[in-house]
Amino acid sequence: MSALREATAFPRRFDARQDLIREGDTPGPVFVVLDGWVCRYKILPAGTRQIIAFLLPGDACDLHMGMFPEMDHSIQALTPARVAVIPQADMNGMMEKHRGIARAMYMAQLVDEATLRAWIVSMGRRSSAERVAHLVCELYLRAQGSGLATGSEFALPLSQIVLADTLGMTPVHINRVLKELRLAGTMKLARGSLTIIDPIRLVQIAGFDENYLHRRLGRSVAAEEK
């Protein structure tokens, strides 16, 4: 889609831990991640952080935030990132002129909402091991869709602090769960790279149902390795 390519031709660069926009700010442009990892997050009164979404290359965020008077969450680059910053008026114009762009944006938003629902279920009902396994399954599939996964391995540039802020655990607890999953022969995380050793077992532990991402973890890994 040439219109979208033109709109994303001159991205901004953000450093790791640099905010794209903060809670309370006046909503502005639509962000489209071109490279790097970005997250949505909230800061609680006590100063603790809850990460509420990861944004990978190809993801757009805050399509309709311009309808509200202020941001109700913050967006931050977790790694060095290139992000297209598209004025809301330009995005609205593209969506009015190009039905394909509008359809793609709305479908992406629906998947984003489905992912948030899956995260709510994890936080409310899954055990610690199930929660970590479920997130790993999801991130592998999303990384594969963004071209970031090779075979059963993909770059996971997320510290244990970031994982703790995502899953509602302490870094010590996260470390213990990662060790349990490694000893169970399902996966291993080392130096920012995660390898899925036994995708079937990992899916079983997570109780992972990929319908909100429309992919199959086991088939994806097997196909990549052929």
Side-chain angles (χ1 to χ4, degrees):
M1 299 179 183
S2 59
L4 194 55
R5 283 196 296 270
E6 291 176 8
T8 59
F10 301 99
R12 287 181 56 187
R13 294 185 180 274
F14 292 88
D15 296 328
R17 296 183 295 278
Q18 181 180 356
D19 285 325
L20 283 64
I21 194 167
R22 295 180 180 176
E23 184 171 358
D25 288 350
T26 300
V30 175
F31 298 109
V32 179
V33 181
L34 303 181
D35 187 52
W37 287 62
V38 175
C39 73
R40 293 189 184 100
Y41 72 95
K42 297 271 292 184
I43 296 293
L44 279 65
T48 54
R49 177 177 68 167
Q50 178 65 50
I51 291 175
I52 53 178
F54 290 119
L55 303 167
L56 275 60
D59 289 339
C61 53
D62 296 330
L63 185 61
H64 299 303
M65 277 304 297
M67 299 174 65
F68 297 100
E70 64 180 39
M71 292 292 296
D72 58 20
H73 62 277
S74 301
I75 303 174
Q76 184 180 90
L78 292 169
T79 67
R82 289 188 306 118
V83 180
V85 181
I86 306 175
Q88 188 73 53
D90 291 355
M91 178 59 77
N92 291 341
M94 279 193 294
M95 292 175 64
E96 290 173 2
K97 294 178 182 177
H98 304 280
R99 294 185 62 184
I101 292 177
R103 180 177 174 80
M105 289 294 176
Y106 284 126
M107 287 181 66
Q109 184 170 335
L110 289 174
V111 172
D112 193 46
E113 292 171 358
T115 301
L116 181 58
R117 289 192 289 272
W119 281 33
I120 292 171
V121 172
S122 281
M123 295 293 287
R125 290 299 180 183
R126 291 190 173 99
S127 68
S128 298
E130 292 167 349
R131 209 180 301 173
V132 173
H134 196 278
L135 181 65
V136 168
C137 290
E138 177 189 306
L139 292 180
Y140 171 79
L141 292 176
R142 293 182 60 195
Q144 187 186 56
S146 297
L148 302 177
T150 303
S152 60
E153 183 177 356
F154 71 106
L156 187 66
L158 307 179
S159 68
Q160 292 186 11
I161 292 176
V162 169
L163 291 174
D165 288 348
T166 303
L167 296 170
M169 305 179 193
T170 66
V172 172
H173 193 180
I174 284 286
N175 183 277
R176 184 163 58 248
V177 174
L178 289 172
K179 182 178 180 180
E180 289 174 2
L181 291 172
R182 176 175 58 81
L183 293 175
T186 62
M187 50 166 271
K188 64 177 180 179
L189 177 65
R191 297 186 179 182
S193 177
L194 190 141
T195 301
I196 297 177
I197 301 169
D198 186 343
I200 303 303
R201 178 60 179 147
L202 190 65
V203 166
Q204 290 173 341
I205 291 173
F208 188 74
D209 182 350
E210 80 301 324
N211 66 348
Y212 67 102
L213 297 174
H214 309 288
R215 298 172 184 268
R216 291 277 181 183
L217 179 62
R219 284 210 306 262
S220 297
V221 171
E224 283 287 339
E225 292 183 334
K226 284 183 179 179

